[in-house]
Amino acid sequence: PVAGTVQRLGRAGHRVGEVSRGLLHPTHGGDFLYAAVMTRAVYEGAIEDVTPIQGALDVLTQVILSACVTEVWDIEKLFGFLRTSAPYHDLSRAQFDLVLQMLEGRYADSRLRELKPRVMIDRLDNTIKAKEASAFLLFMAGGTIPDRGYYDLRLEGTKAKIGELDEEFVWERSIGDTFALGNQVWRIQRITHNDVEVTPETKQLNIIPFWKADTRDASFHFATRVGEFLEWAEGQLAAPAFKPTLIRDYHMSPPAADELCAYLHRQREASGAALPHRHHVLVEHYQDPNNRQDAHQVILYTFWGGKVNRPFALALSRAWQERYGHPLQVFVNNDAVLLMLPCECSVQELTTLLTPENVESHLAAKLEQTGTFGAHFRENASRALLLPKQNFKKRMPLWLNRVRSKKLLQSIQRYEDFPILLETWRTCLQDEFDLPNLKLCLERIHTQEIQVTAVHTHRPSPFAGSLIWRQTNKYMYED
């Protein structure tokens, strides 16, 4: 998030001699906390380390096919050529051969059109050449940006592109509907296979569009800075110099500093305990008065960031299921993990379910059953050209791509060495999750370097605001 903020600020002040400036506009309590920490990090240049993706097999599939469309390659020379690039410098011959076998049609016995042979390999000459249809496939579906199912929003007449609309939002619209985008109201005049054509409208709007974006998980680097701030705030919140320090060192306006102070005070009053921070995990048991079920709700305020919290929640759910025989429903964000327990559970019981030694095995047992794994498999399969479009003129709905991807995943799960399946495991475990820091946090809990405090409340404390919203949102729209 720090690098992203710097990049956004860099878009301002593009004239000669002009300085790039930007303002952060928090909208609720948690926003003020993150804005304060982010501003200080930007001023200090505390940008996250960059870890380039290494050995992505989905992109490798597309690169090999592209190389073989225009010429015949000696397989040994092709392998050596690929290893001269940084992302594939450590590519193993076994991985390279698996991709070639997939392109040659090794898995075509699944009787799926997507797995038919794309290349021809001459074993006598040790050469590889793409089939004629592969060139069209590359032109039609090539690229590495995953399909989000967006429609282009265009001005009727000139066809000038205004923006993009979510596929599900478009499906709910009819000709003549009006909606607001930017500072203008638009009326829908035509909906094609790929575009929504509109004209400006001056009347009152009917609706505001929505987009269902992927969750952006905070890194452990930024989460640590948030935890450090909360640890400092815990000791300084009552001091008269706290607000002036926020204004001076964190570059907050006085009203923003007041909002943050009030937010932190409300959290302490609601929980009756110290603020959670990098050396303190707060476990909040609460009984929701609107919850008529038998579920007991527990919130673990970890402030480890989504890249650590998400695998932690999945592994914890699996460990609970293994011990008690039934699944555990969880909700996750960058700050906390919400558990729906069948009964009250002690802090010691929760903290002993996972250890640095067993967390990875529990995660591996749970991951393939999750929507996260399925979504990344779909994106990887698309990049590997296994989910091609029918043609340029006919739209492939995103929901249909999800169905095709699910069918493909079910068909190839019996092949443990299927390259795109291996790539999906790598994507999740290395790119999306931060397992080394998860193990570090668990180790600190077991050595009591991180203290764990339990409290009981009648309603969620302010720090749980966005997590409770996520829970409510799932219940409202899951059907």
Side-chain angles (χ1 to χ4, degrees):
V2 181
T5 303
V6 172
Q7 187 263 349
R8 289 294 182 93
L9 291 172
R11 293 182 177 183
H14 278 190
R15 294 185 179 89
V16 176
E18 192 170 334
V19 178
S20 295
R21 291 183 175 88
L23 294 175
L24 301 186
H25 294 275
T27 59
H28 61 273
D31 259 8
F32 287 93
L33 170 62
Y34 274 85
V37 177
M38 178 65 72
T39 304
R40 182 74 177 268
V42 170
Y43 270 93
E44 294 178 357
I47 298 176
E48 302 87 353
D49 291 336
V50 176
T51 305
I53 296 175
Q54 296 292 320
L57 300 184
D58 52 347
V59 177
L60 179 65
T61 302
Q62 194 174 145
V63 170
I64 291 175
L65 200 58
S66 301
C68 298
V69 159
T70 56
E71 59 182 298
V72 178
W73 277 83
D74 178 85
I75 292 178
E76 299 300 328
K77 288 183 178 179
L78 179 60
F79 178 61
F81 174 73
L82 291 170
R83 281 170 56 91
T84 61
S85 62
Y88 298 105
H89 186 67
D90 296 322
L91 178 69
S92 69
R93 184 56 191 256
Q95 292 174 316
F96 175 73
D97 287 340
L98 281 176
V99 173
L100 291 190
Q101 291 167 17
M102 180 182 69
L103 288 172
E104 190 184 14
R106 173 189 171 188
Y107 308 99
D109 61 344
S110 299
R111 299 188 180 279
L112 289 179
R113 182 180 59 181
E114 290 83 359
L115 297 176
K116 67 181 181 181
R118 307 291 187 189
V119 300
M120 298 175 291
I121 296 180
D122 189 327
R123 298 296 177 183
L124 296 178
D125 294 339
N126 200 37
T127 58
I128 179 173
K129 170 68 175 177
K131 292 195 169 186
E132 292 184 2
S134 298
F136 180 74
L137 177 67
L138 283 164
F139 283 121
M140 188 168 56
T144 58
I145 300 175
D147 181 20
R148 301 298 187 194
Y150 290 157
Y151 277 72
D152 288 338
L153 180 64
R154 297 185 181 276
L155 189 63
E156 187 185 38
T158 64
K159 310 297 183 184
K161 185 174 178 179
I162 302 168
E164 292 179 328
L165 294 175
D166 188 275
E167 184 176 80
E168 293 187 29
F169 174 78
V170 175
W171 286 348
E172 295 175 5
R173 305 279 70 78
S174 302
I175 304 299
D177 284 355
T178 59
F179 62 92
L181 185 68
N183 58 357
Q184 176 66 53
V185 177
W186 305 96
R187 180 176 295 277
I188 298 176
Q189 301 294 349
R190 186 166 177 253
I191 299 176
T192 70
H193 73 286
N194 201 51
D195 300 329
V196 177
E197 297 182 11
V198 294
T199 54
E201 180 62 60
T202 57
K203 296 181 180 178
Q204 187 176 3
L205 62 95
N206 286 344
I207 198 169
I208 297 175
F210 61 80
W211 293 267
K212 293 186 177 180
D214 293 336
T215 302
R216 296 299 300 271
D217 291 332
S219 66
F220 187 71
H221 166 85
F222 183 71
T224 299
R225 293 189 67 94
V226 175
E228 290 172 347
F229 174 85
L230 289 172
E231 188 172 22
W232 168 76
E234 172 60 30
Q236 300 294 322
L237 191 55
F242 183 68
K243 178 182 172 182
T245 303
L246 292 178
I247 296 172
R248 182 185 67 251
D249 296 344
Y250 292 87
H251 308 277
M252 303 189 78
S253 65
D258 287 336
E259 287 287 345
L260 180 54
C261 291
Y263 178 63
L264 298 178
H265 277 295
R266 289 199 305 272
Q267 171 62 29
R268 288 183 61 175
E269 291 171 2
S271 66
L275 297 174
H277 51 72
R278 62 172 182 161
H279 291 127
H280 178 221
V281 170
L282 180 64
V283 179
E284 181 179 324
H285 301 257
Y286 78 94
Q287 293 291 344
D288 185 354
N290 296 320
N291 180 20
R292 303 302 180 188
Q293 302 176 4
D294 295 330
H296 184 79
Q297 303 187 59
V298 179
I299 304 176
L300 284 69
Y301 296 100
T302 58
F303 281 90
W304 293 341
K307 286 183 176 293
V308 173
N309 277 351
R310 199 168 298 280
F312 171 63
L314 291 175
L316 187 61
S317 173
R318 171 63 186 180
W320 178 278
Q321 184 174 354
E322 186 178 83
R323 179 175 293 186
Y324 298 105
H326 59 84
L328 186 65
Q329 190 174 15
V330 296
F331 300 89
V332 188
N333 67 3
N334 290 316
D335 306 333
V337 176
L338 169 60
L339 310 176
M340 304 290 289
L341 302 178
C343 58
E344 189 167 348
C345 181
S346 68
V347 171
Q348 184 179 7
E349 191 172 6
L350 284 175
T351 55
T352 55
L353 281 172
L354 290 181
T355 66
E357 293 74 29
N358 69 12
V359 63
E360 200 162 347
S361 61
H362 283 306
L363 178 61
K366 181 72 173 180
L367 182 58
E368 205 169 70
Q369 308 165 18
T370 65
T372 298
F373 190 90
H376 284 293
F377 179 83
R378 174 179 60 83
E379 293 180 1
N380 293 339
S382 180
R383 277 189 285 263
L385 307 178
L386 297 181
L387 300 173
K389 303 175 184 177
Q390 293 183 3
N391 55 60
F392 287 108
K393 296 183 178 181
K394 188 172 182 180
R395 181 182 185 83
M396 181 65 70
L398 188 59
W399 67 266
L400 184 55
N401 251 353
R402 292 192 183 110
V403 172
R404 296 169 66 203
S405 173
K406 186 176 181 179
K407 183 179 179 182
L408 177 63
L409 179 58
Q410 291 171 344
S411 299
I412 56 86
Q413 277 181 325
R414 66 179 186 270
Y415 303 114
E416 294 184 356
D417 61 351
F418 187 73
I420 307 307
L421 189 61
L422 297 177
E423 174 58 22
T424 306
W425 279 101
R426 188 205 64 77
T427 301
C428 293
L429 297 179
Q430 295 183 19
D431 298 344
E432 298 300 317
F433 298 157
D434 188 348
L435 296 185
N437 282 314
L438 171 56
K439 294 178 181 178
L440 177 64
C441 291
L442 292 175
E443 179 65 31
R444 287 174 176 174
I445 288 178
H446 285 279
T447 60
Q448 297 186 350
E449 184 179 345
I450 295 178
Q451 299 297 316
V452 181
T453 303
V455 297
H456 290 75
T457 62
H458 294 292
R459 66 182 63 181
S461 56
F463 276 9
S466 64
L467 193 58
I468 298 301
W469 176 87
R470 184 165 297 184
Q471 179 190 21
T472 304
N473 189 63
K474 175 177 172 60
Y475 290 155
M476 287 177 66
Y477 293 105
E478 67 179 351
D479 292 338

